[in-house]
Amino acid sequence: QVQLVESGGGSVQTGGSLKLSCKVSGYTDSSKYCLAWFRQAPEKKREGIAGLYSRGGEPYYDVSVKGRFTISQNNAKDTLYLQMNSLQPEDTAMYYCAAHLLPCMLGGTWGNYKYWGQGVQVTVSS
């Protein structure tokens, strides 16, 4: 059973930065997963914003965060990160990390990721 635990949320002013972390455990094979960050703002649908294949390759970014956010994982493949720069009030949301065993999708409809963290709140004030 894959478990995901996020940390690093908080409050920041417009233009500020935050780095989210997601500790991943319980992999059967750490090279065979999609890892992604989703977010959900109040009264809005959950949206996928960034993802990568744990085996490596080009990350995917939604247009809303491309150029401002960076997704990465550590060499041990047990921690996923989301570096968020130039934060805006519209980035305010609960942020979730998620994982799914291959085959899986980055972007588009994203499919139905099986494993989810509990979420962390990010609040950006103007």
Side-chain angles (χ1 to χ4, degrees), residues 20-41:
L20 305 183
S21 298
C22 174
K23 185 74 173 178
V24 187
S25 60
Y27 277 138
T28 53
D29 182 334
S30 62
S31 67
K32 294 185 178 179
Y33 287 83
C34 288
L35 301 171
W37 289 97
F38 292 75
R39 68 184 180 187
Q40 187 167 18

Side-chain angles (χ1 to χ4, degrees), residues 51-117:
L52 53 75
Y53 293 107
S54 60
R55 67 191 178 202
E58 193 71 20
Y60 168 87
Y61 296 98
D62 184 78
V63 63
S64 62
V65 305
K66 195 168 188 178
R68 300 188 299 125
F69 292 10
T70 302
I71 187 172
S72 62
Q73 61 179 339
N74 65 349
N75 290 337
K77 301 188 191 300
D78 63 3
T79 306
L80 183 71
Y81 302 102
L82 186 68
Q83 176 67 48
M84 304 185 293
N85 299 328
S86 301
L87 284 161
Q88 303 297 315
E90 53 266 34
D91 295 315
T92 295
M94 282 290 287
Y95 283 71
Y96 301 88
C97 61
H100 196 84
L101 191 63
L102 292 174
C104 45
M105 294 178 62
L106 301 180
T109 64
W110 288 90
N112 292 314
Y113 276 58
K114 183 174 182 179
Y115 304 106
W116 293 85

